[in-house]
Amino acid sequence: RFDRQVIISLPDIVGREAILKVHTRKIKLGKDVDLKPIARQTPGFSGADLANLANEAALLAARLNKDVVSFEEFEKSIERVIAGPERKTRVLNEKEKRITAFHESGHALVALITPETDPVHKVSIIPRGAHALGYTMQLPIEDRYTMGKGELMARMTVMMGGRVAEEIVFHEITTGAQNDIESATEM
């Protein structure tokens, strides 16, 4: 018996747009929906992720009793797929909110002043997923397949921005920086 391995790469921006067209063909889209910007905002998404995105957007519009799915539902669904669902039951005390706000501001500010980083798209201190108390979302302008040393160092610099902000403002760091250190170490 011979086994064959078939490798399927993640789709590029053109592929993501085509996949979104397939998964939205039975969904009534609002006039403000253009699939190109949605494809641009979803680098690294697989076909299954894109199907999930279209489904999440349709479910959100249905929950809001809308007749069509607008761009806003797609944006909210992208966040849900990337960072997980909002954790409305996870209530942060004022100190944790403040620490999280400064932490995420640190990431955003460092991203804004560091060359060779992707533009900041959104900053949030709304808890999402299993662990995130907040996040800073950066989206690339175009698909990239390689990364130079400068880009790699810039990404790690942005990851440390949250930890440094905590240290500057509060004179200590929290366990919130753990994921940033793990991600930088993985790079």
Side-chain angles (χ1 to χ4, degrees):
R1 179 182 133 152
F2 293 98
D3 286 332
R4 187 172 259 192
Q5 205 172 22
V6 178
I7 297 171
I8 300 173
S9 300
L10 292 173
D12 61 10
I13 192 166
V14 174
R16 291 193 302 274
E17 185 179 359
I19 292 167
L20 283 166
K21 283 179 184 174
V22 168
H23 290 295
T24 59
R25 68 176 176 248
K26 293 182 180 178
I27 297 173
K28 195 171 180 184
L29 300 176
K31 291 181 177 160
D32 66 334
V33 176
D34 180 0
L35 297 177
K36 270 187 177 140
I38 297 168
R40 187 185 79 73
Q41 292 181 41
T42 53
F45 276 42
S46 66
D49 292 330
L50 295 166
N52 187 27
L53 170 65
N55 189 45
E56 286 290 340
L59 287 170
L60 182 56
R63 275 189 225 115
L64 298 171
N65 294 318
K66 289 186 163 186
D67 295 331
V68 297
V69 179
S70 71
F71 188 76
E72 184 180 355
E73 282 83 48
F74 276 99
E75 285 227 304
K76 288 180 179 179
S77 297
I78 289 169
E79 281 184 78
R80 186 178 174 94
V81 173
I82 290 174
E86 271 188 43
R87 300 289 302 263
K88 293 179 182 174
T89 57
R90 182 176 287 167
V91 180
L92 302 178
N93 64 42
E94 287 305 311
K95 182 180 178 185
E96 288 175 323
K97 280 183 192 175
R98 194 163 186 265
I99 291 168
T100 302
F102 275 98
H103 182 98
E104 296 308 327
S105 296
H107 288 307
L109 287 171
V110 172
L112 287 170
I113 63 169
T114 305
E116 297 192 64
T117 60
D118 294 324
V120 174
H121 180 72
K122 184 173 186 175
V123 179
S124 174
I125 62 165
I126 297 171
R128 286 188 170 271
H131 305 289
L133 300 179
Y135 62 92
T136 301
M137 185 186 301
Q138 294 175 263
L139 295 175
I141 295 169
E142 59 191 7
D143 284 346
R144 289 194 306 260
Y145 303 99
T146 62
M147 194 181 315
K149 182 180 178 182
E151 286 177 277
L152 193 59
M153 295 301 288
R155 284 189 179 193
M156 288 190 282
T157 301
V158 171
M159 285 179 198
M160 295 300 117
R163 181 184 188 281
V164 170
E166 285 184 27
E167 198 167 0
I168 290 170
V169 175
F170 302 104
H171 307 291
E172 68 176 353
I173 56 168
T174 66
T175 56
Q178 178 181 346
N179 182 259
D180 298 329
I181 293 168
E182 288 172 358
S183 296
T185 302
E186 203 174 285
M187 282 186 151

